Amino acid sequence: MSDKNKIIYVLVVFIVIVSFPFIYNKVKTPTDVNVKLNTPVIDNMTVKQCILPKEQMRHEHMKILNSWRDDVVRGNHREFGKIDGVMYEKSLQLTCLHCHSNKSEFCDRCHTYASVSVYCWDCHVAQKENKL
Amino acid sequence: MSIDRRQFLKAAGATGLLGLLGSPLFKVLAPGELEASPELKEGMAKSAKRWAMVVDMKAFPTEESYNKCIEACNKTHNIPQMESEKHEIKWIWAEKYENAFPDSYNGYLTESIEKMKFLVLCNNCDNPPCVRVCPTKATFKREDGLVVMDYHRCIGCRFCMAACPYGARSFNWRDPRPFIKNINPSYPTRTKGVVEKCNFCADRLYRGELPACVEASNGALIFGDLKDENSNVRKTLRSKFTITRKPDLGTFPGVYYVIGGS
């Protein structure tokens, strides 16, 4: 059993290497994603509000967009509803991007941070940016 | 216990028959079962039951007049202009009489008809073969007669292209974006690997607008609800002799043609 110490050293080194990414993520302070909300349309709003509560959009926008896509394409139910007398359509391109015209600072920053790659933009076009 | 060949074959036959009876195969092959889309109960502009179009060829005096319709469609729907004909994407285009109406071609047509190009597009058939063959139901018929595509669901198998007798579907062999001159940001583009076609401007109809080609046609394309007796389409069909493309196939196209006459 003369190799006992060697084995323990190697084992410790191995565990440290394997667990490093997990520990690193726990310890480091998260950097600010710095999502920007100051587009011309949003700046001109008297009451700055989304069509749904902020928290809900933050956590469920992907589910909402997914159900919108089925509603619109398969069911042709395109109306989201009226807010303050304005009718909103269930549309990524026409509704979401109308206000959030800064795709790279709004959508991309968060998606890049979370390492999420979405394929929405393969077809849908960001309103003004058009960097294709 | 031994079994002779006769017994074995009998048993095998009986088992096979039982399996067939119990299998969902019959269900799958039953006509109508593969027709998709139960949807569209509400919405839609608004109560149309069967959208249809009449193409009045007399009202297209020059090539320019129908090119306007084609251009309007291309612009509205971000249709790429491919370099190679093999990769061509077309929603509405012009064909010679013999290609558009091969079963009523006689070889001795009037000169004007022989020279004429006919605007052709997806017929949004009553009985669309493309819908029947689509394995993912990416293409489906809505209750208002439109045959539409769900590009999210298309797997690019191209069965629909093989089934369509009018060649009205195109496949995106390449990423179309680099081939679109001016992208219309209010309509999505498509991606490589999906099939696309004319959808009678389903989104414009929803907003109460006419299809882009109809709007640009200066009255040569007439659009409306076939089930509404007072619609423009019905009025035209009542007053003029019209034909459809390949009527023998029983697809019942939703696009009618006024070829000549008074």
Side-chain angles (χ1 to χ4, degrees):
Chain A
M1 296 298 282
S2 59
D3 288 341
K4 188 180 168 190
N5 286 344
K6 275 189 201 164
I7 289 171
I8 287 172
Y9 288 140
V10 171
L11 208 58
V12 167
V13 169
F14 176 76
I15 288 168
V16 166
I17 290 172
V18 167
S19 58
F20 176 74
F22 301 98
I23 297 163
Y24 178 79
N25 275 340
K26 279 275 174 216
V27 172
K28 79 161 186 182
T29 47
T31 49
D32 192 3
V33 181
N34 200 16
V35 166
K36 288 201 170 155
L37 292 166
N38 54 346
T39 65
V41 178
I42 296 173
D43 285 345
N44 283 336
M45 290 170 114
T46 41
V47 186
K48 291 187 180 24
Q49 61 169 17
C50 193
I51 56 166
L52 285 170
K54 192 167 89 179
E55 284 306 309
Q56 196 182 351
M57 284 313 281
R58 217 176 249 178
H59 293 119
E60 293 175 19
H61 65 276
M62 58 299 260
K63 288 182 195 160
I64 292 165
L65 288 172
N66 214 25
S67 70
W68 279 13
R69 127 182 154 174
D70 287 341
D71 288 350
V72 170
V73 181
R74 309 227 42 112
N76 200 29
H77 306 302
R78 291 170 190 247
E79 285 164 12
F80 173 76
K82 275 187 178 173
I83 300 171
D84 296 335
V86 181
M87 176 57 76
Y88 287 90
E89 210 175 299
K90 291 176 178 175
S91 171
L92 170 67
Q93 247 169 267
L94 304 178
T95 303
C96 304
L97 293 179
H98 174 68
C99 293
H100 298 288
S101 52
N102 54 344
K103 172 182 164 275
S104 54
E105 290 160 331
F106 182 70
C107 312
D108 294 351
R109 277 210 181 150
C110 215
H111 288 155
T112 311
Y113 178 77
S115 191
V116 174
S117 60
V118 292
Y119 51 84
C120 308
W121 313 110
D122 291 354
C123 290
H124 293 272
V125 184
Q127 283 282 344
K128 281 153 201 162
E129 301 191 322
N130 274 357
K131 287 172 204 148
L132 302 166
Chain B
M1 186 184 103
S2 67
I3 182 167
D4 65 18
R5 188 161 59 178
R6 179 179 289 264
Q7 279 172 322
F8 173 77
L9 285 175
K10 270 185 190 170
T15 320
L17 200 64
L18 265 178
L20 259 184
L21 285 173
S23 102
L25 190 68
F26 282 107
K27 217 173 140 195
V28 170
L29 293 179
E33 279 296 317
L34 284 175
E35 311 283 327
S37 180
E39 290 90 6
L40 201 77
K41 294 278 177 325
E42 52 186 81
M44 193 59 210
K46 283 304 184 211
S47 53
K49 296 198 176 71
R50 172 67 171 110
W51 290 114
M53 186 189 280
V54 178
V55 181
D56 185 355
M57 287 313 301
K58 274 190 307 159
F60 286 117
T62 57
E63 203 168 311
E64 207 177 293
S65 53
Y66 61 70
N67 274 346
K68 263 189 202 163
C69 303
I70 299 172
E71 271 167 34
C73 176
N74 289 353
K75 256 188 208 167
T76 312
H77 301 112
N78 291 324
I79 292 165
Q81 301 305 306
M82 293 300 192
E83 292 151 358
S84 154
E85 208 175 286
K86 279 183 185 170
H87 302 149
E88 193 181 24
I89 307 284
K90 47 191 193 190
W91 283 30
I92 177 168
W93 70 104
E95 280 290 3
K96 280 184 188 169
Y97 185 89
E98 61 196 80
N99 296 336
F101 306 97
D103 35 13
S104 54
Y105 177 68
N106 64 23
Y108 297 97
L109 294 169
T110 64
E111 202 182 334
S112 63
I113 285 184
E114 216 157 5
K115 282 183 183 164
M116 205 186 274
K117 285 278 188 82
F118 292 81
L119 266 191
V120 291
L121 64 160
C122 169
N123 284 295
N124 287 274
C125 308
D126 263 349
N127 183 19
C130 51
V131 168
R132 229 178 123 62
V133 300
C134 179
T136 61
K137 296 194 178 176
T139 189
F140 59 98
K141 194 178 125 196
R142 298 194 330 194
E143 280 183 4
D144 58 357
L146 300 196
V147 177
V148 292
M149 280 290 300
D150 182 350
Y151 302 111
H152 305 106
R153 209 185 269 207
C154 179
I155 54 168
C157 68
R158 291 175 287 138
F159 284 9
C160 58
M161 290 178 73
C164 176
Y166 307 102
R169 293 173 161 262
S170 308
F171 184 68
N172 283 282
W173 289 99
R174 304 182 65 178
D175 178 16
R177 274 200 185 169
F179 302 96
I180 307 168
K181 268 181 211 144
N182 295 307
I183 288 186
N184 166 16
S186 54
Y187 199 83
T189 66
R190 268 71 60 195
T191 50
K192 184 173 156 182
V194 298
V195 172
E196 64 178 81
K197 69 166 200 88
C198 157
N199 60 3
F200 268 1
C201 284
D203 59 315
R204 287 174 61 94
L205 290 177
Y206 178 80
R207 294 187 194 100
E209 297 167 30
L210 282 170
C213 57
V214 177
E215 209 172 72
S217 71
N218 212 6
L221 299 178
I222 301 141
F223 193 80
D225 185 3
L226 206 56
K227 300 278 171 172
D228 174 7
E229 281 191 18
N230 299 316
S231 68
N232 285 343
V233 164
R234 281 293 290 275
K235 279 179 192 161
T236 317
L237 292 183
R238 260 203 302 271
S239 62
K240 287 176 180 167
F241 177 70
T242 49
I243 58 170
T244 58
R245 297 179 67 196
K246 304 189 181 180
D248 294 358
L249 298 176
T251 57
F252 302 106
V255 180
Y256 298 79
Y257 289 84
V258 180
I259 305 290
S262 58

